């Protein structure tokens, strides 16, 4: 059977602009939020990705009509949810599908959604989502791999919820359930990722009353009706971070579409490594330091505004090329070092113990055949392959296709020798 792989002949001179697409993790909850209220929506700056196509299939299975207007814009018509069940077939393809639960409960008062199951980077339970729905008056039962939720008395009711952990998905799901609940919902210890702020801004544009955006405690006053609107999604901060690392590794590469306010902890770490940069009046990000002058640092992944787990693997590739040793402590997902043995096959010297990776600086990568385990791991391997002498193959790039739009085209446009080939397995 053949699946996709990238063949990369590395160490080419790269020069030009890498443009950041719209945020995947921003688009998914906003797409899902159109389930809450009937009407017609226009969403812009949606990345052209597999995960978006998977979500559209799910929304269509629930009764929405979705029309692609151009590469990055969609019209969504909600004439009412016709099916309250999100099937295992669709949810297993993408965990974020579980986000439909809050909106379906808000719209229909009952929902049946497949449990997503584990994934390569960790167990990723949904207990915090369910506790939130229960607090808002939903009776939850789990049977045959599905979560069934039924709103008692037909109407969700606001309450106070303190999340045990600032989970991104749980925060989004509970917000979407609460916007039309009766009374006031207070959610404390919420996630503060920029994608959550974007979801709140979208909902407020529709007439929701969400206060405290970005502050860790949200106060949501339920409203009877929302008004569909047109909305443009923020640029993808993780793609931006990945491209910035490429720009640090390759003199002559610039990045367009960086929102530095979304990347503060990441940029501070780069500065600590010795990276200097400037952004011109058009928002073009340019690195002014030299790769050979960088030194190792310690990074600990944390909920936003801490260092994002999604940039842990790409920065590890950069750390391999810095002087001295670096350290990464992964605190968000329990199994997110699967790229380490693959980077080591490319000449890296990384050891791990539990959730800590120690990265010893090396002079150069050597080309190899490697395999991506998740999308960010895949990006880390592509970066390493671009910097290796000789030909590398990065297998299982369907992971990369889930989260990076036209990656090989963008890289080819700045001089990379990269092609998509069949992977023989
Ligand atoms: C979101 O996942 C992102 N996905 C992830 O990006 C990202 O890595 C993650 O947030 C952390 O920033 C989307 O936005 C679609 P969490 P999510 O709930 O919502 C535990 C990518 O590559 N937890 O904040 O699933 C959980 O097990 C993806 O684009 C519970 O214990 O992340 C994990 O250890 C990968 N119970 C931690 O919290 C729950 O009910 C953080 O998960 C929920 C979560």
């Amino acid at each position: 059977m053949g699946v996709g792989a990238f063949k990369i002949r590395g160490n080419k001179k790269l020069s030009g602009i890498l443009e950041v697409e719209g945020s995947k993790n921003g688009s998914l909850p906003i797409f899902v939020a159109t389930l809450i209220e009937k009407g017609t929506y226009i969403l812009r700056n949606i990345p052209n990705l597999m995960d978006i196509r998977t979500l559209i299939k799910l929304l269509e299975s629930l009764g929405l009509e979705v029309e692609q207007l151009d590469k990055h814009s969609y019209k969504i018509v909600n004439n009412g949810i016709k099916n309250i069940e999100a099937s295992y077939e669709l949810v297993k393809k993408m965990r974020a599908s579980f986000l439909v639960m809050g909106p379906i409960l808000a719209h229909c008062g009952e929902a049946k959604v497949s449990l997503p199951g584990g994934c390569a980077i960790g167990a990723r339970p949904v207990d915090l989502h369910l506790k939130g729905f229960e607090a808002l008056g939903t009776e939850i039962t789990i049977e045959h791999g599905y979560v069934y939720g039924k709103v008692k008395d037909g109407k969700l009711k606001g309450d106070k919820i303190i999340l045990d952990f600032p989970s991104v998905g749980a925060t989004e799901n509970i917000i979407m359930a609460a916007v039309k609940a009766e009374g006031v919902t207070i959610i404390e210890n919420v996630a503060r990722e920029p994608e959550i702020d974007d979801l709140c801004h979208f909902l407020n544009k529709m007439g929701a009353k969400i206060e405290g955006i970005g502050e860790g405690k949200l106060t949501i006053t339920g409203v009877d009706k929302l008004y569909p609107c047109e909305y443009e999604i923020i640029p993808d901060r993780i793609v931006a971070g990945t491209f910035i690392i490429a720009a640090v590794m390759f003199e002559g590469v610039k990045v367009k579409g960086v929102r530095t306010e979304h990347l503060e902890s990441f940029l501070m770490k780069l500065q600590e490594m010795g990276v200097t940069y400037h952004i011109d009046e058009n928002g073009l990000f340019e690195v002014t330091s030299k790769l050979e002058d960088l030194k190792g640092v310690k990074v600990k992944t944390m909920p936003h505004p801490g260092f994002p787990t999604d940039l842990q693997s790409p920065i590890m590739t950069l750390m391999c090329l810095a002087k001295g040793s670096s350290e990464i402590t992964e605190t968000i997902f329990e199994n997110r070092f699967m790229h380490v043995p693959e980077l080591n096959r490319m000449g890296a010297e990384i050891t791990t113990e539990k959730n800590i990776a120690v990265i010893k600086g090396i002079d150069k990568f050597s080309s190899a055949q490697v395999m991506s385990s998740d999308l960010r791991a895949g990006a880390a391997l592509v970066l390493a392959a671009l910097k290796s002498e000789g030909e590398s193959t990065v297998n299982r790039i369907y992971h990369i296709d889930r989260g990076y739009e036209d990656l090989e085209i963008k890289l080819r446009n700045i001089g990379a020798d990269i092609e998509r080939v069949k992977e023989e397995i």
Side-chain angles (χ1 to χ4, degrees):
M1 187 177 103
V3 288
F6 283 148
K7 243 189 207 341
I8 300 171
R9 283 165 284 272
N11 259 351
K12 305 286 173 211
K13 187 174 161 25
L14 304 189
S15 146
I17 297 172
L18 288 171
E19 191 166 348
V20 179
E21 64 260 19
S23 164
K24 167 178 83 75
N25 292 346
S27 301
L28 294 172
I30 290 178
F31 246 111
V32 165
T34 66
L35 285 165
I36 303 172
E37 189 74 69
K38 283 186 185 175
T40 300
Y41 301 78
I42 305 282
L43 299 182
R44 302 197 189 280
N45 205 27
I46 305 288
N48 190 25
L49 295 171
M50 191 61 81
D51 271 10
I52 300 292
R53 290 189 281 277
T54 304
L55 185 73
I56 290 172
K57 275 204 191 111
L58 174 61
L59 295 180
E60 286 172 341
S61 80
L62 300 172
L64 300 199
E65 287 161 29
V66 183
E67 184 191 339
Q68 185 163 13
L69 301 176
D70 58 46
K71 191 171 180 188
H72 297 126
S73 307
Y74 290 84
K75 177 173 154 188
I76 298 135
V77 182
N78 178 346
N79 285 322
I81 294 176
K82 308 211 169 31
N83 167 26
I84 61 151
E85 178 176 329
S87 73
Y88 177 63
E89 282 316 305
L90 289 166
V91 176
K92 74 169 185 204
K93 290 200 177 127
M94 185 183 63
R95 299 182 48 84
S97 305
F98 197 74
L99 290 176
V100 299
M101 181 114 196
I104 303 178
L105 284 175
H107 189 130
C108 305
E110 71 180 316
K112 186 178 171 191
V113 182
S114 168
L115 277 168
C119 93
I121 59 176
R124 305 181 76 182
V126 290
D127 55 316
L128 303 175
H129 303 232
L130 302 185
K131 277 188 201 163
F133 299 145
E134 281 173 334
L136 298 179
T138 309
E139 236 170 82
I140 298 284
T141 43
I142 299 178
E143 260 179 8
H144 309 299
Y146 279 77
V147 179
Y148 177 67
K150 178 131 183 79
V151 177
K152 290 178 246 169
D153 313 325
K155 185 104 180 102
L156 290 161
K157 290 192 181 58
D159 203 342
K160 181 168 175 171
I161 297 161
I162 304 178
L163 292 175
D164 294 342
F165 179 86
S167 152
V168 171
T171 302
E172 292 167 344
N173 229 339
I174 299 168
I175 292 171
M176 292 189 281
V179 280
K180 287 184 77 183
E182 221 169 79
V184 177
T185 302
I186 294 173
I187 323 172
E188 292 198 34
N189 199 26
V190 289
R192 288 184 282 163
E193 271 66 5
E195 295 77 26
I196 290 173
D197 295 359
D198 210 29
L199 171 66
C200 292
H201 292 310
F202 170 70
L203 290 166
N204 276 353
K205 194 172 178 196
M206 284 173 69
K209 289 200 174 125
I210 308 173
E211 291 167 299
I213 300 172
E215 290 169 12
K217 173 181 167 181
L218 293 171
T219 304
I220 304 172
T221 308
V223 294
D224 286 336
K225 186 148 177 55
L226 293 172
Y227 301 88
C229 66
E230 188 168 335
Y231 197 76
E232 181 169 325
I233 313 301
I234 52 172
D236 195 303
R237 67 193 163 98
I238 307 301
V239 172
T242 309
F243 287 175
I244 286 172
I245 291 173
V248 174
M249 289 168 63
F250 293 91
E251 223 173 289
V253 175
K254 297 178 189 175
V255 187
K256 192 176 162 195
V258 178
R259 294 270 288 266
T260 50
E261 69 274 25
H262 295 166
L263 283 163
E264 279 178 340
S265 54
F266 168 74
L267 291 172
M268 278 166 81
K269 269 302 156 195
L270 289 187
Q271 283 170 343
E272 208 181 308
M273 290 181 89
V275 173
T276 53
Y277 58 85
H278 89 274
I279 301 184
D280 75 9
E281 61 281 4
N282 301 316
L284 201 59
F285 189 101
E286 188 174 2
V287 173
T288 48
S289 48
K290 296 243 177 284
L291 181 60
E292 52 270 27
D293 296 334
L294 303 192
K295 61 176 195 319
V297 291
K298 285 188 178 180
V299 161
K300 192 175 190 174
T301 64
M302 297 288 270
H304 193 80
F307 191 94
T309 172
D310 290 337
L311 284 171
Q312 177 257 105
S313 30
I315 205 172
M316 193 183 277
T317 299
L318 182 63
M319 286 169 160
C320 290
L321 299 172
K323 295 224 161 54
S325 83
S326 295
E327 194 178 290
I328 295 182
T329 307
E330 170 60 53
T331 75
I332 307 294
F333 292 111
E334 61 272 27
N335 195 21
R336 217 176 190 184
F337 283 147
M338 307 256 285
H339 46 286
V340 167
E342 302 301 305
L343 285 173
N344 282 348
R345 300 191 72 243
M346 302 184 80
E349 292 184 25
I350 308 167
T351 51
T352 55
E353 193 166 339
K354 294 192 177 132
N355 66 333
I356 299 177
V358 176
I359 302 108
K360 230 175 101 190
I362 53 168
D363 289 337
K364 55 182 177 25
F365 286 112
S366 82
S367 55
Q369 295 211 27
V370 289
M371 192 176 283
S372 43
S373 47
D374 75 78
L375 68 152
R376 312 302 171 191
L381 297 174
V382 168
L383 288 169
L386 289 171
K387 207 63 186 169
S388 303
E389 200 66 65
E391 185 178 283
S392 298
T393 308
V394 180
N395 291 308
R396 307 236 166 127
I397 56 169
Y398 57 86
H399 289 296
I400 300 175
D401 289 338
R402 293 184 54 185
Y404 292 86
E405 178 183 299
D406 297 338
L407 185 63
E408 82 272 29
I409 298 171
K410 288 184 182 181
L411 290 172
R412 232 175 1 242
N413 286 345
I414 60 166
D417 186 344
I418 173 169
E419 61 179 319
R420 185 178 285 259
V421 296
K422 271 196 173 171
E423 173 193 348
E424 290 310 322
I425 52 172

